Amino acid sequence: MLAQKMLLLKRPFLPARAAPFCAQRKVGRCITYYTKSHEYIKINDEHLTELKKKNNVKCKIGISNYGTEKLGEIVYIDISHNVNEYVKKGDCIATVESVKSVGDVYTPISGQIVDINNKIVDNVNLMNENSETDGWILELLTNEVNEKEIMSFSEYKKMCEEEEQREATKIQQSERDCLEEKNKNKIFDLNDIKSIEEKGKK
C-alpha cells in the first residue's frame, strides 16, 4: 500500500496559495510517474520494457516539484539510508525541513539503494530550483513499480489542480465566515452602545 502521507508534520502545514504546477512527465529520455502523496518515480524510458518483464531497473525517487512548492523553501535535508541498503515501500528515506514545516519523506516503492544524491545535502537549493531533475533523493534498483498504484503526468496534474481548487474554496469560505463574524460583532457593539445610552438617560 502506498504511503498515505508524504509528510508527518511537527508544525502546522501552511499550504501555498495558487502554487504553480511545474512538473514535466518526460525529461530527456526519462519518464516520470507520481503518487498521491507527491513523490515521483523517474525511470529511463528504455528500461520500461525490462520493468514489464519484472527485471530490475534503476529509478530515482524524490519529492515532486508541486510538492516542494507546497512545502515552501526547503532549508535542510537529512537522508537516513546508505548505498546497498534495502528499503521497503513506505519506509522513511529522508527528513526535510522547510521554512514552513518539518517532515519525513517515504519511498513509494521497495528496492536496493544504488546511489544517494549527496549534492542536495550540501546544496539543498537544488531541490527548490527543480526537485525532479537535480533534486532527486535516492536511486533504487527495483522490479516492483506497479502502474496501477501510480499516476501519469496528466493524471497527477489533474489531481493537483483539483487539490488547488479545494484549497481555494476553503480559503474563500474562511474569508466569508470571518466577514460574517465581524458583521455580527458590529451589530452587537451597536446594540451595546444603545443599551448604555438608554441607561445613561435613566
Side-chain angles (χ1 to χ4, degrees), residues 49-68:
T49 301
E50 293 300 312
L51 186 62
K52 290 177 180 178
K53 294 178 181 178
K54 299 298 182 181
N55 293 332
N56 284 330
V57 298
K58 291 181 181 180
C59 58
K60 291 180 178 178
I61 307 296
I63 306 172
S64 71
N65 285 338
Y66 179 84
T68 55

Side-chain angles (χ1 to χ4, degrees), residues 75-114:
V75 296
Y76 174 79
I77 182 169
D78 176 52
I79 301 175
S80 51
H81 290 278
N82 299 308
V83 172
N84 294 326
E85 289 184 3
Y86 186 87
V87 291
K88 294 181 180 180
K89 181 166 56 178
D91 283 353
C92 174
I93 57 173
T95 299
V96 173
E97 180 177 352
S98 75
V99 294
K100 295 179 179 179
S101 59
V102 177
D104 296 326
V105 183
Y106 302 95
T107 174
I109 57 174
S110 301
Q112 183 181 9
I113 300 172
V114 293

Side-chain angles (χ1 to χ4, degrees), residues 7 46 108 111 150 180:
L7 300 169
E46 66 266 25
I150 53 181
E180 289 177 3

Side-chain angles (χ1 to χ4, degrees), residues 114-162:
V114 293
D115 198 6
I116 292 174
N117 189 6
N118 289 313
K119 290 181 180 179
I120 61 173
V121 177
D122 298 328
N123 181 14
V124 74
N125 199 45
L126 292 172
M127 297 183 72
N128 296 315
E129 292 173 352
N130 194 329
S131 62
E132 293 185 28
T133 54
D134 296 330
W136 56 277
I137 298 173
L138 298 178
E139 186 172 38
L140 299 181
L141 191 65
T142 185
N143 63 1
E144 66 159 47
V145 178
N146 187 344
E147 293 188 28
K148 294 181 180 179
E149 296 181 339
I150 53 181
M151 290 178 281
S152 66
F153 168 76
S154 58
E155 291 169 333
Y156 181 66
K157 181 180 179 182
K158 181 180 178 181
M159 186 199 78
C160 292
E161 289 172 345
E162 291 173 349

Side-chain angles (χ1 to χ4, degrees), residues 20-39:
F21 183 86
C22 51
Q24 295 296 323
R25 182 172 185 267
K26 288 192 177 183
V27 180
R29 299 181 64 186
C30 294
I31 293 180
T32 306
Y33 295 99
Y34 302 88
T35 70
K36 292 180 180 179
S37 47
H38 304 297
E39 302 103 349

